[in-house]
Structure formats: structure tokens, C-alpha cells
Amino acid sequence: MFPAEPGPIGVFDSGYGGLTILHGIRQLLPEYDYMYLGDNARAPYGSRSFEVVYQFTRQAVLRLFERGCHLVILGCNTASAKALRSIQQRILPELAPDRRVLGIIRPTAEIIGQLTKTRHVGILATEGTIRSKSYNMEIQKLWPDISVTGQACPLWAAIVEANEADSPGADYFVKKRIDQLMRLDPDIDAIVLGCTHYPLLMSSIVAHVPQHVRIVPQGQYVAASLSDYLQRHPEMEKKLTKHGQCHYLTTESEEKFKENAQIFLHEHINVQHIDLE
């Protein structure tokens, strides 16, 4: 059903934020080929139901399989929270038993125990990710002594995509949500940025968190986890092409993707429009 020859690593996101995950992976593993798929026409996923996110993610994963990807990273917290388990349990055994789909919540959960001294951790994320409690479950599975507190930040991703990350308005909303989180648990000493857009608000985030609090973006930890995965699974590593190339797909217009991707990337890219429905 899907091409058997080696292919690129697929990275999927509902929008542009997954480009921060892709950037982290490519910095650590530049030799591999990558295919990024952004479902920009139907973004954001954050407030959508579990079933809708699952169906959209299923369509994207199958399309990346059709394009030759044997390994797909869900570079989207909402898709990782709402769809990953169903994809792994319902789609792979039936349609693609030799392919793998990985998320970005588990790698962050694995490292967080080494980054907190108070054992109180905060999560800043979209409404959907917070409501799913995926971070709470993954962290407490691995680190049962850690207390996890989540705070939804409904406007942050939109601010980034509007290229307003450095505006006074962005600063107001960043401070508001961080203050709310710290009021919920003043003992927090590590905050996970549970949305891939949020690293672009880093200067404002750093300005408003207490000095002793560590900020945990995901890109570097996802990249390190992927590197470890490939070392442990040489049978998958052999199915990946290595020419250092990256191809971009979008469900939006190609010109709009190029324009908005400039917020996240600092390179000229080639992008192709596709339909998922």
C-alpha cells in the first residue's frame, strides 16, 4: 500500500509551530531528509474535539506514509495529546505495521524530572492540550512524586502567527497567563512550553517568570529523544534517506505558507500545496 523504499522523516503539525520542532531535530540530525506537512488550512487544532483531531491527524499521517515516510513525528502537542495513542493502536497495526508514529509529549515528560528541584512543574499550552491532561499523565507515570499544574494560553499561538510576538499586546497576555499559573502553584520551578509556537514568545516569557523558574522548550529534547530512538532501532534507521534535504507540504496556499514560515525559519524554502480531505 505504501512505498517500501527508504524515505524522509515526516514531521506533522496543524500549523507552523512544528517548524520549531523540525528546527531542533535538523540541528542535531542534519544528515537525514525531512518532509514537513502543515495542515494550515484547518488550523488551529487546539479547541477541536478529540475525534476531529484524530481524523485530521490520521489523514496527514497516511499522506506522509504515501509520500514514502516510514517514521512520522507528530510535531504538534494537540495531535500528540488527542490522536497519537489512537493512531498507534488503531491505524498502524491494521494499515502500516512496519511504520512508526511518535509524539512530542513523552520526550519532554522523560526529561522533566531532571529539571525540577521542588518537584512542582507548570505546563503552558493550548486549551485542548491542557484539557486532555496528557502532560499530567505522562509526567506522573514517569515521575509520580511531581505535582503538575496546567494553564491554558488561548491567544498565544495566534499572536505568534500574526507576527506580533514582540508587541505590547503579546507582553500583556504572556504576563497574564504566567501570573495565573504561578498563583495556582507558587512552588513551580520548571515550566514546560507545551505548544510549539511558544518558543517564539521566549523573550517575553523569560521577562515575566520568577528568576528561579526554568523554562523548558521542547525542540532540543524531542531531537535528543529521536536520536536515541534511531540508535535503539537500527531497522528503522536503515529506512531513512540521508541527503540533508527538507521538503514542505501545506494545505494552505503556497505563498501564504512561505510568508508565515519566515516567522519560524530563516531560509528560502520550496513548498507544495496538497489536499487532505
Side-chain angles (χ1 to χ4, degrees):
M1 182 177 178
F2 304 116
E5 61 270 15
I9 297 171
V11 179
F12 168 67
D13 186 23
S14 59
Y16 299 96
L19 294 170
T20 64
I21 298 295
L22 176 64
H23 177 70
I25 294 173
R26 289 183 73 196
Q27 281 198 309
L28 186 64
L29 302 168
E31 66 273 25
Y32 294 97
D33 294 330
Y34 298 91
M35 181 170 289
Y36 182 88
L37 169 53
D39 189 11
N40 310 90
R42 300 188 294 193
Y45 282 12
S47 59
R48 294 187 183 272
S49 70
F50 273 74
E51 185 57 29
V52 168
V53 171
Y54 165 68
Q55 291 298 341
F56 286 1
T57 304
R58 178 184 185 277
Q59 291 169 357
V61 167
L62 292 178
R63 182 58 56 87
L64 286 168
F65 287 169
E66 289 169 3
R67 293 288 187 119
C69 298
H70 292 261
L71 175 64
V72 173
I73 312 297
L74 300 186
C76 171
N77 283 277
T78 303
S80 294
K82 293 184 173 183
L84 176 63
R85 196 174 301 278
S86 295
I87 295 285
Q88 290 174 333
Q89 293 176 350
R90 290 157 62 179
I91 301 302
L92 297 186
E94 180 184 346
L95 298 179
D98 60 336
R99 281 162 161 74
R100 294 292 177 266
V101 179
L102 306 176
I104 58 175
I105 292 176
R106 177 86 181 191
T108 315
E110 287 173 344
I111 199 70
I112 198 66
Q114 301 171 33
L115 305 178
T116 172
K117 294 178 181 176
T118 65
R119 316 311 279 174
H120 289 253
V121 169
I123 311 293
L124 296 170
T126 65
E127 196 177 341
T129 298
I130 296 298
R131 203 183 308 123
S132 75
K133 294 195 177 294
S134 293
Y135 273 99
N136 306 56
M137 291 186 286
E138 287 293 340
I139 290 172
Q140 288 173 342
K141 236 188 284 181
L142 298 165
W143 312 97
D145 62 319
I146 291 181
S147 173
V148 182
T149 303
Q151 173 63 53
C153 307
L155 291 175
W156 286 21
I159 288 168
V160 170
E161 294 209 357
N163 205 10
E164 296 287 341
D166 297 321
S167 69
D171 206 52
Y172 168 83
F173 286 111
V174 167
K175 182 179 187 304
K176 179 179 180 179
R177 299 308 179 189
I178 289 173
D179 287 350
Q180 286 176 330
L181 177 65
M182 296 307 297
R183 277 198 298 272
L184 289 170
D185 184 357
D187 293 327
I188 287 170
D189 72 343
I191 296 176
V192 174
L193 301 186
C195 173
T196 51
H197 286 70
Y198 296 176
L200 277 79
L201 292 163
M202 187 66 81
S203 60
S204 185
I205 292 169
V206 169
H208 294 297
V209 298
Q211 284 192 345
H212 69 281
V213 175
R214 181 167 188 160
I215 306 300
V216 185
Q218 295 173 291
Q220 69 191 83
Y221 301 113
V222 171
S225 179
L226 176 59
S227 177
D228 179 65
Y229 177 87
L230 294 177
Q231 288 174 26
R232 289 185 290 108
H233 295 275
E235 76 286 354
M236 176 57 70
E237 202 277 339
K238 289 174 187 171
K239 299 177 182 178
L240 306 177
T241 52
K242 299 176 188 173
H243 304 103
Q245 298 176 351
C246 188
H247 188 63
Y248 297 87
L249 307 172
T250 179
T251 56
E252 250 291 4
S253 79
E254 295 168 3
E255 286 309 311
K256 186 169 182 184
F257 184 91
K258 283 183 184 179
E259 181 184 335
N260 288 349
Q262 288 299 314
I263 301 168
F264 298 85
L265 302 171
H266 303 288
E267 61 179 303
H268 176 74
I269 63 171
N270 292 313
V271 59
Q272 178 186 354
H273 169 83
I274 63 165
D275 291 312
L276 289 178
E277 295 180 80

